[in-house]
Amino acid sequence: MGVGNATGCRAWAGSVSTAADSMICRMRTPFSLTTCAIAAILGLTACATSTGTGETTPTAPSPAVSSPAVQSPQPAASAKVDAKAVLAKLTAAKVGLTRGAVQNEDTDPNNLLGRPNGYTSRASADLPGGDTTSDRYGIDRGLVIEVFPSAADADRRSTYIQGLLKNAPILGTEYHYRTGDGTVLVRVAGRVKPTAAKKIEQAVTQV
């Protein structure tokens, strides 16, 4: 083969190689672009969970959503009774009370209403068997209601009176009854018959 033929062959071969390479490039380009796109997506995903050193960064836990605390309903506080309310309930119980009256600081015969160690309210009423000729608001007429700040105060008052009557029988006797919370002292004159006093005792337990 001559030089001319050799040169022509090399030119033809180069032309064939170039055409082949071009075809290969056209065939490989879509695949390469797709591969690069997938790699880029994977790379971005990896960046969200990995550090530059390849160590995985722990994902922070989502903050817990706390529910508002449900408060249990509190029981309503019971209203504190006064002597007027007790008198009304005993009168409604039809135990024989008449001429009921509520005292104030001017009509309180003991001068204990609203004073230290005294009661917070007082009421009185007549009862069958009581002395209707005695002092208008006195115990001898039948019944007295005394309301104290605490059960201990009412107990102290009852103990004091019963002690005086025990040591001086000439002063007479009294029935003493207490309401459920102990703050109300209901005094009944000893002249009242026991059966009538028993009805008052039962009515007091309902206050």
Side-chain angles (χ1 to χ4, degrees), residues 111-120 147-149 153-154 156-157:
N111 291 321
L112 292 175
L113 182 58
R115 290 178 168 83
N117 302 317
Y119 33 75
T120 58
V147 181
F148 293 85
D153 292 330
R156 185 162 44 248
R157 169 72 167 164

Side-chain angles (χ1 to χ4, degrees), residues 81-91 97-109 113 119-126 136-138 143-147:
V81 298
D82 59 8
K84 181 178 180 180
V86 176
L87 177 63
K89 290 184 178 181
L90 294 182
T91 301
L97 272 64
T98 57
R99 301 189 67 180
V102 177
Q103 284 75 65
N104 55 39
E105 62 182 21
D106 295 324
T107 58
D108 174 23
L113 182 58
Y119 33 75
T120 58
S121 60
R122 185 186 192 274
S124 62
D126 292 358
R136 176 70 180 88
Y137 306 118
L143 176 142
V144 166
I145 301 166
E146 298 173 347
V147 181

Side-chain angles (χ1 to χ4, degrees), residues 1-206:
M1 178 182 299
V3 174
N5 291 338
T7 300
C9 286
R10 284 195 298 271
W12 177 82
S15 176
V16 171
S17 176
T18 300
D21 289 344
S22 176
M23 182 178 295
I24 291 172
C25 286
R26 285 195 301 271
M27 293 176 63
R28 292 178 60 185
T29 297
F31 175 78
S32 298
L33 290 174
T34 302
T35 302
C36 290
I38 294 173
I41 293 172
L42 293 177
L44 289 175
T45 304
C47 289
T49 57
S50 302
T51 62
T53 59
E55 296 179 356
T56 301
T57 303
T59 303
S62 300
V65 179
S66 58
S67 300
V70 179
Q71 296 182 350
S72 301
Q74 299 296 323
S78 58
K80 188 174 181 60
V81 298
D82 59 8
K84 181 178 180 180
V86 176
L87 177 63
K89 290 184 178 181
L90 294 182
T91 301
K94 300 185 183 303
V95 292
L97 272 64
T98 57
R99 301 189 67 180
V102 177
Q103 284 75 65
N104 55 39
E105 62 182 21
D106 295 324
T107 58
D108 174 23
N110 301 315
N111 291 321
L112 292 175
L113 182 58
R115 290 178 168 83
N117 302 317
Y119 33 75
T120 58
S121 60
R122 185 186 192 274
S124 62
D126 292 358
L127 276 174
D131 183 4
T132 57
T133 64
S134 63
D135 294 341
R136 176 70 180 88
Y137 306 118
I139 180 62
D140 291 337
R141 297 182 69 98
L143 176 142
V144 166
I145 301 166
E146 298 173 347
V147 181
F148 293 85
S150 69
D153 292 330
D155 185 63
R156 185 162 44 248
R157 169 72 167 164
S158 177
T159 300
Y160 170 75
I161 293 173
Q162 294 290 21
L164 288 178
L165 298 178
K166 184 176 180 179
N167 294 326
I170 193 174
L171 297 176
T173 59
E174 292 183 13
Y175 306 92
H176 284 188
Y177 306 120
R178 305 277 289 280
T179 56
D181 66 353
T183 60
V184 180
L185 172 63
V186 177
R187 301 165 55 195
V188 177
R191 291 184 177 185
V192 175
K193 293 181 179 180
T195 52
K198 189 67 176 179
K199 292 179 181 179
I200 296 173
E201 179 184 13
Q202 293 173 349
V204 170
T205 62
Q206 303 301 316

